[in-house]
């Protein structure tokens, strides 16, 4: 499988104020090498503060690494060196899906408005309303007509996440970086959202980086996985291998927390 995105020796330092005049350099991310391949779900798992979100933000171009490069092969460019125009094109291809879909939807606007926006912004030249309906179907909000004029507060957490996904899908992305996308929805609907991610991989060929604390979810949804601890990758590989035969002590700890991680889904 060929590479779409590759992080090559990526570092990120933070400058933290430690006193009135004192500042300190603090290593955030340390020599991360990572790739997202065509048509896969790749997991990134690890505890709080490990650096998952920082890595995700660097991948989508919201945060610049201190050192290293992030190659995007379909454009043949290093994300860290892209011009504003190139970044705009890149962001149509590579999208972030947030943890909390509530804060990413505007409470004063309808579902239709939210999904139309990227289409208008990127000058979609077809029937916009038809496309919105098609996108609602793709994220299994049906019948679509019932959702068009609803406001975010009239939707459940899972439905809001689907609306947000429909909006992201409007631009035909190649890669989604999903940072804890189901942690704010009920356990009962998590599984169906995870199914949706798999369907996007299988039917639309979208690659997904799936970020979570929970290695059991990774076992359910991902093909490969990176285990991140304190800003470094401590283990990587095929999901089944990593979960059934972890080599690193930290991975062993993560897999011990759940009794049977390979079959549990929430
Ligand atoms: N702007 C910043 N300034 C200083 N330190 C930061 C900044 N952003 C992140 N960090 C630090 O980088 C480290 C990694 O944070 P990050 O949010 O990426 O962790 P995470 O793995 O996403 O955690 P969680 O699972 O809780 O979401 C943390 O120690 C955090 O304090
Ligand atoms: Mg995070």
């Amino acid at each position: 499988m060929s590479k779409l995105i590759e992080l090559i020796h990526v570092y990120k330092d933070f400058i933290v104020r430690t006193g009135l005049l004192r500042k300190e350099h603090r290593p955030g991310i340390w020599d991360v090498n990572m790739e997202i391949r065509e048509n896969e779900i790749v997991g990134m798992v690890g505890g709080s503060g490990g650096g998952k979100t920082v890595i995700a933000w660097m991948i989508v171009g919201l945060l610049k690494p201190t050192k290293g490069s992030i190659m995007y092969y379909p454009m043949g460019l290093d994300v860290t060196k892209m011009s504003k125009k190139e970044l705009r094109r890149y962001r149509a291809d590579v999208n972030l899906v947030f943890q909390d879909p509530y804060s990413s939807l505007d409470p004063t606007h309808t579902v239709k408005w939210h999904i139309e926006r990227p289409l208008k912004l990127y000058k979609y030249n077809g029937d916009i309303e038809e496309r919105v309906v098609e996108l609602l179907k793709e994220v299994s909000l049906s019948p679509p007509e019932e959702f068009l004029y609803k406001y975010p507060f009239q939707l459940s957490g899972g439905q809001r996440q689907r609306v947000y996904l429909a909006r992201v899908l409007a631009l035909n992305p190649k890669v989604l970086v999903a940072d804890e996308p189901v942690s704010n929805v009920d356990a009962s609907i998590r599984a169906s959202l995870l199914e949706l991610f798999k369907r996007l991989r299988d039917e639309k060929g979208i690659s997904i980086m799936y970020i979570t604390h929970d290695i059991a979810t990774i076992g359910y949804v991902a093909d490969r996985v990176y285990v991140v601890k304190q800003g470094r990758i401590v283990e990587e590989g095929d999901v089944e291998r990593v979960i059934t035969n972890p080599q690193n002590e930290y991975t062993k700890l993560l897999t011990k927390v759940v009794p049977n991680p390979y079959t549990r889904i929430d």
Side-chain angles (χ1 to χ4, degrees):
M1 249 195 282
S2 65
K3 293 183 269 193
L4 288 173
I5 294 179
E6 185 173 18
L7 281 71
I8 305 167
H9 299 301
V10 168
Y11 293 73
K12 177 73 188 173
D13 294 341
F14 290 109
I15 299 166
V16 189
R17 206 175 264 286
T18 51
L20 199 57
L21 297 169
R22 277 221 324 257
K23 285 179 185 167
E24 223 173 71
H25 266 271
R26 225 169 257 169
I29 301 303
W30 190 267
D31 197 18
V32 164
N33 293 284
M34 195 178 257
E35 50 189 70
I36 301 176
R37 300 174 188 165
E38 256 172 13
N39 199 221
E40 72 166 354
I41 299 182
V42 56
M44 186 181 357
V45 65
S48 206
K52 301 181 299 296
T53 297
V54 169
I55 294 172
W57 281 41
M58 291 194 293
I59 293 174
V60 298
L62 287 171
L63 200 64
K64 257 201 191 343
T66 314
K67 210 165 85 179
S69 47
I70 300 174
M71 290 306 300
Y72 182 53
Y73 293 109
M75 283 170 73
L77 293 171
D78 182 341
V79 180
T80 68
K81 297 197 175 96
M82 281 182 185
S83 67
K84 272 206 172 123
K85 205 173 153 203
E86 287 162 346
L87 258 184
R88 191 175 137 90
R89 196 145 63 86
Y90 177 68
R91 292 216 176 105
D93 276 7
V94 181
N95 262 269
L96 191 62
V97 179
F98 293 97
Q99 182 167 20
D100 179 8
Y102 215 4
S103 59
S104 47
L105 298 179
D106 183 334
T108 66
H109 287 289
T110 62
V111 167
K112 182 166 176 278
W113 181 89
H114 279 95
I115 304 173
E116 272 176 0
R117 234 169 93 88
L119 292 169
K120 287 179 176 165
L121 227 56
Y122 281 79
K123 301 192 173 32
Y124 179 72
N125 53 14
D127 186 313
I128 288 194
E129 180 140 354
E130 246 173 49
R131 179 77 179 125
V132 172
V133 167
E134 190 181 291
L135 285 160
L136 285 172
K137 277 188 197 148
E138 267 173 26
V139 296
S140 308
L141 284 175
S142 62
E145 294 74 17
E146 204 174 283
F147 288 91
L148 284 177
Y149 296 98
K150 282 199 168 151
Y151 288 87
F153 76 89
Q154 295 170 310
L155 304 170
S156 72
Q159 288 170 339
R160 284 197 293 268
Q161 192 59 289
R162 285 171 196 271
V163 170
Y164 184 73
L165 269 173
R167 181 184 165 145
V168 165
L169 292 173
L171 300 176
N172 287 319
K174 290 192 168 62
V175 180
L176 298 181
V177 179
D179 193 354
E180 308 256 10
V182 301
S183 60
N184 278 2
V185 303
D186 281 356
S188 59
I189 48 174
R190 263 181 220 166
S192 68
L193 271 171
L194 295 178
E195 283 305 324
L196 176 58
F197 281 111
K198 287 188 182 187
R199 200 154 58 70
L200 293 177
R201 174 197 59 194
D202 297 339
E203 290 173 14
K204 299 185 74 73
I206 295 177
S207 299
I208 296 163
M209 168 157 268
Y210 193 93
I211 302 173
T212 174
H213 287 161
D214 179 24
I215 201 156
T217 304
I218 292 291
Y220 180 70
V221 82
D223 306 303
R224 288 190 309 124
V225 63
Y226 293 98
V227 182
V228 175
K229 186 195 178 195
Q230 289 169 359
R232 298 167 197 245
I233 295 173
V234 295
E235 183 156 3
E236 63 180 274
D238 217 52
V239 163
E240 191 165 355
R241 199 281 298 157
V242 170
I243 288 180
T244 56
N245 185 20
Q247 299 299 303
N248 182 273
E249 288 308 313
Y250 184 65
T251 319
K252 285 182 190 167
L253 199 70
L254 289 180
T255 56
K256 268 195 199 127
V257 181
V258 278
N260 189 357
Y262 209 62
T263 51
R264 244 190 69 164
I265 52 165
D266 60 6

